[in-house]
Amino acid sequence: MGQLIHLRCERCGAPTEASDPPWIRCPSCGSIAGFDFTSSAESPEYAEFMRRSMKDPQGYVKRWQDHDAAVVKAAQTFHKSPEKGLKQAAEAAEFLIDETPWAMPTAAKHDSGKREAYKLWLGFELMQHKLPGKYPGLQLKLNEAAAAVGFGANENPLPAFEKMLDVLREMSDERERLGGPPDPEGLSVEGRLRVTVSQMVAGYIRMVSPDLQLALLRRIYGDDAISAVDISGQDYSVYFDWECPQCGLFSPHVPQADKLTCPGCYCTRRVDFESMDAVAVICHGCGSRLELAAKQLSCKCEYCGSQVKRFVRQGDAQREVIAEVKRGIAAANNFSYEEMMAESDGFGVTPENRLERLRDGLVRIAQWYNFGITPTRMAGFARASLPGEDAVNVDALLADAQAVAAHEVQQGHGDPKAVKLLEMARQRLAGK
Ligand SMILES: [Zn+2]
Ligand SMILES: [Zn+2]
Ligand SMILES: [Zn+2]
């Protein structure tokens, strides 16, 4: 199941389009209406931002420190002359437009009138965070709410999400009360709130199940604006699932990785991300293993009805940047990129030790990714790694993994959240 967003432009009523990704905008008056979470990390501008910050991390930190100091200075000026203070804050805000262009609407970058309007509007808000009003306290509340929403492992984030909306609404009320500059797009308070929230949760929303995505999107844009369509059951922008060719363990990996290491047997492999060969995938709805034939892009899960899709070509922009950085590191240290990317068989796998490798791999997945994967998906890693086995044997493997994880906690170097995740995965496996 996927989602279709049909929004009408708040200003002129025309249907909006996603023709300027990641922005959802009105083709007739140009106003923005939302932020498309499926394309936000794929823009060339984001890749450029990554390239700059990874190549010169100190320069990156310095630029942000200078920016922060400029905002503090503007707030000090504001005490003496509000008009001058706001002007300084607007100049400081220009940094954001140039440093993080991927988060800025196209008009803010290329239309000089809009650019000035955005500078004032952003600058006012930046400065409020440094002034003794309500803003700093509201920001703390917002951070708390965002932390409570979690990173994709929280199965019921809606109450925390509501809290987040409340705080953002309080912030815009406060902006109104203080007489902040007008919205650069001419949006109403509610219209701006939709854009802000959709942008804030763009990264998060990719980590959650399709049902939850639908609930969150309806909450942001309204029930009528969102319809569920049968296109894709999962978004792989955060982690995709990979089947180790040596031990058979399924494990999550970031899409921008250029070489994958299996957490079970530690073999390393370069992967052809454009391959259309037959492949096994995990249903994130129920955790079943499903087989996709060569060239088949998606299928409907025969057990729970979710749409399940193949991972293809996401994160190319970042992958390119990482390869560039690795080439630079290799050249500076007198070895080659090819040596760096060489494959290895890790610990090796035999029929005798395979189950042990799988068990240890599941423990590591639970320890490293417990913040970002659901119990159903965790159960899916075990089920998919033991194709054709009875649920009893899959549960035995998860029980072993849980025991090892619990033992590590007793030894003082494990993570109790990993034990909990494995325990809940066993409950999902048993249909609870
Ligand atoms: Zn319009
Ligand atoms: Zn492996
Ligand atoms: Zn399913």
Side-chain angles (χ1 to χ4, degrees), residues 9-14 26-31:
C9 171
E10 196 188 58
R11 281 170 58 193
C12 74
C26 170
S28 114
C29 77
S31 180

Side-chain angles (χ1 to χ4, degrees), residues 43-163:
S43 74
E45 285 178 331
Y46 187 67
E48 184 53 36
F49 167 76
M50 292 266 298
R51 185 175 286 127
R52 263 188 301 139
S53 42
M54 286 173 82
K55 280 192 174 160
D56 178 16
Q58 281 122 6
Y60 172 83
V61 172
K62 174 86 171 49
R63 284 196 298 281
W64 284 93
Q65 280 170 345
D66 290 350
H67 164 69
D68 196 60
V71 179
V72 169
K73 212 167 154 219
Q76 284 160 356
T77 307
F78 184 83
H79 289 301
K80 286 171 256 158
S81 161
E83 204 185 319
K84 273 192 193 151
L86 182 57
K87 223 170 151 220
Q88 283 182 10
E91 293 311 313
E94 188 157 34
F95 166 79
L96 297 181
I97 301 176
D98 297 329
E99 179 74 8
T100 60
W102 44 272
M104 297 290 155
T106 317
K109 291 167 276 184
H110 304 301
D111 170 330
S112 60
K114 272 269 166 69
R115 190 178 176 95
E116 290 308 310
Y118 264 101
K119 279 165 61 180
L120 273 177
W121 185 76
L122 290 165
F124 179 82
E125 174 130 356
L126 285 171
M127 194 171 58
Q128 292 309 320
H129 291 282
K130 309 290 183 192
L131 290 170
K134 278 176 82 179
Y135 258 86
L138 287 172
Q139 184 63 45
L140 284 180
K141 270 166 86 179
L142 184 64
N143 295 348
E144 269 169 33
V149 169
F151 285 98
N154 183 353
E155 286 177 311
N156 183 24
L158 280 170
F161 184 71
E162 292 290 342
K163 188 87 201 276

Side-chain angles (χ1 to χ4, degrees), residues 241 243 250 278-282 289-292:
D241 306 326
E243 182 180 20
F250 271 79
V279 70
V281 290
I282 298 175
R289 177 189 170 114
L290 303 164
E291 311 286 336
L292 290 177

Side-chain angles (χ1 to χ4, degrees), residues 244-249 262-267 349:
C244 170
Q246 190 168 258
C247 73
L249 177 73
C262 169
C265 69
Y266 274 74
C267 80
V349 179

Side-chain angles (χ1 to χ4, degrees), residues 345-378:
D345 285 344
F347 300 153
V349 179
T350 64
E352 291 73 37
N353 70 20
R354 178 168 175 259
L355 278 176
E356 210 174 296
R357 297 275 185 263
L358 293 180
R359 177 200 67 194
D360 292 348
L362 291 171
V363 173
R364 290 183 192 111
I365 294 171
Q367 282 173 339
W368 298 341
Y369 298 96
N370 60 66
F371 62 90
I373 56 177
T374 60
T376 300
R377 191 166 176 191
M378 188 70 229

Side-chain angles (χ1 to χ4, degrees), residues 2-17:
Q3 297 82 27
L4 266 190
I5 304 178
H6 10 232
L7 290 173
R8 290 216 163 255
C9 171
E10 196 188 58
R11 281 170 58 193
C12 74
T16 58
E17 288 177 350

